Amino acid sequence: MVELRRAQWIPVGVILLAAVLDLATPTDVTSAPLLMAAPVAAAPLLSLPGIIAIGALSMAVHAALAWINGTFGWHRGVANQLTLLAVTVLAVLIHRALEGQTARTRRARQVAAVAQSAVLPRPPSRLGELRIAARYVPAEDEAMIGGDLYVVQDTPHGVRVMVGDVRGKGLGAVSAVCADLGAFRHAADEAEDLPRLVASLERALLREGGRRGGHERDEGFTTALIAEFSVGLDTVRVINRGHPPPVLLDAGGRAAVLEPSEEAPPLGMSALGAWSAPVDTFSFPPGATLICYTDGVTEARDESGVFYDAAVRLPHLVRHRALTGDPATPAQILHLMIEDVGRHTGGRIQDDQALLALHRPLGVHE
């Protein structure tokens, strides 16, 4: 907002520069072409009255300079005045065209936001004692729907979670996301354990790939992290299918990467062979936060090509937050992390980012 306000002074600066150059140069040198640039510069920066005011000011300054130089005549006076008037009208037309394009973009973003909330609804902020936060950061501002996903569901077997990344972009990826979410929501309640849940997801992806046909039938897959919290939140069981491993932050701000004990391929590739995916069990002590994310975070690179390391950066972020205020909530941790990734990449978001934070509060005694 501050930068925009500063930019709005550019047309006035152009007029002042034209006046200075005209007064500092011989009388046979005119600054009229530079004055004509002022209304055009105002078109994307100012309102309609502001553009008209800049055009009128340009004409007034040109007339005053021509009168001072004694050059106000048909060729160098009236003709330039008519040209300035025409340029001002052109700037008004450009402004109206830009306003129409902005309105269309705004409507498209609103539709995309509604579609995203329908396809990928935000999980509840709390399930029992578990505190939850989620964020989705698209790689492109206009494309708010992508192939990254997260879902949290309270089930008879405990709270179950999935974070995933569908191969590909566009409507095909959105279709696969819908299939993943629908299969998870059904199987999460029915499957007695995580292997059965994963098998159900695998079958759903194969059916979806068969319906879509083409390369998606043979090459469509989803990297996925499926987690299940015990009823008392003492442990978290994880199956990792080719997804970036999550980071566990303890109450003291120390980070540990929950690497899988055995590598397994993404979901949707069982047609190429059969693989086993072990269930890894990790302690989830009071005050701990499990942070899951997609490869838009892990593959974010700086100018030197260095990848972002969440396990290294997160302790610094939460420690700074604890020193400057209260301990960070799950939502604040994700906010700090997204800002840190942006600083690491210099604002160049290379892929969509889906992030999920799940926090077990400290008990009364702790």
Side-chain angles (χ1 to χ4, degrees):
M1 184 61 70
V2 175
E3 293 181 355
L4 177 59
R5 290 177 179 174
R6 291 175 179 174
Q8 289 174 340
W9 287 98
I10 290 177
V12 177
V14 171
I15 294 174
L16 292 175
L17 178 62
V20 171
L21 290 177
D22 194 275
L23 294 173
T25 54
T27 56
D28 58 344
V29 178
T30 177
S31 63
L34 188 57
L35 285 171
M36 295 172 191
V40 176
L45 300 174
L46 301 179
S47 63
L48 187 60
I51 297 170
I52 296 173
I54 289 295
L57 180 61
S58 299
M59 295 175 69
V61 169
H62 173 264
L65 292 173
W67 181 78
I68 292 172
N69 293 328
T71 59
F72 195 90
W74 173 253
H75 293 289
R76 299 189 58 184
V78 176
N80 286 336
Q81 289 285 304
L82 292 175
T83 303
L84 281 167
L85 178 61
V87 171
T88 302
V89 173
L90 177 63
V92 169
L93 296 176
I94 293 173
H95 175 77
R96 288 189 176 277
L98 291 174
E99 274 192 331
Q101 183 178 2
T102 302
R104 289 191 294 272
T105 302
R106 189 182 301 113
R107 287 194 295 271
R109 287 179 57 83
Q110 290 172 349
V111 171
V114 172
Q116 185 191 34
S117 64
V119 172
L120 192 65
R122 187 178 296 273
S125 60
R126 177 174 177 174
L127 285 176
E129 292 299 317
L130 193 65
R131 307 297 196 272
I132 305 164
R135 289 286 302 274
Y136 192 99
V137 183
E140 300 179 8
D141 290 338
E142 294 79 9
M144 299 186 67
I145 307 176
D148 293 12
L149 62 98
Y150 46 69
V151 58
V152 182
Q153 188 164 321
D154 193 10
T155 76
H157 315 284
V159 176
R160 288 176 167 176
V161 175
M162 180 171 71
V163 178
D165 187 359
V166 173
R167 174 189 174 276
K169 299 290 184 182
L171 294 178
V174 175
S175 176
V177 167
C178 293
D180 286 343
L181 294 176
F184 178 88
R185 293 197 178 281
H186 172 73
D189 284 334
E190 302 298 329
E192 296 180 1
D193 53 31
L194 288 187
R196 288 186 176 90
L197 171 57
V198 171
S200 180
L201 293 172
E202 187 79 52
R203 290 192 297 270
L205 271 178
L206 289 178
R207 289 194 300 269
E208 178 64 20
R211 282 192 291 266
R212 287 153 64 185
H215 292 292
E216 299 298 333
R217 180 179 57 192
D218 302 320
E219 301 176 12
F221 59 82
T222 299
T223 68
L225 182 79
I226 300 97
E228 175 186 87
F229 293 88
S230 61
V231 176
L233 299 182
D234 296 321
T235 60
V236 56
R237 293 177 286 273
V238 178
I239 289 182
N240 192 326
R241 296 294 299 267
H243 198 78
V247 171
L248 183 68
L249 276 176
D250 65 15
R254 293 175 292 272
V257 181
L258 305 188
E259 296 279 2
S261 58
E262 184 179 334
E263 297 291 336
L267 297 172
M269 301 184 67
S270 59
L272 303 178
W275 292 271
S276 62
V279 179
D280 297 308
T281 302
F282 302 95
S283 176
F284 193 56
T289 304
L290 183 69
I291 302 170
C292 313
Y293 39 79
T294 56
D295 60 6
V297 174
T298 56
E299 295 182 1
R301 290 173 289 183
D302 63 11
E303 293 181 352
S304 302
V306 178
F307 291 102
Y308 184 81
D309 192 337
V312 173
R313 294 298 308 156
L314 278 169
H316 295 286
L317 298 176
V318 297
R319 188 177 301 119
H320 176 73
R321 170 71 188 185
L323 292 174
T324 57
D326 297 329
T329 65
Q332 290 167 343
I333 290 175
L334 295 188
H335 178 73
L336 292 171
M337 191 172 173
I338 290 169
E339 286 190 333
D340 197 46
V341 172
R343 286 191 295 269
H344 182 79
T345 62
R348 301 179 303 275
I349 300 178
Q350 295 140 350
D351 196 3
D352 294 353
Q353 302 169 19
L355 303 96
L356 190 65
L358 305 110
H359 173 71
R360 180 187 178 188
L362 288 168
V364 175
H365 298 292
E366 287 89 7

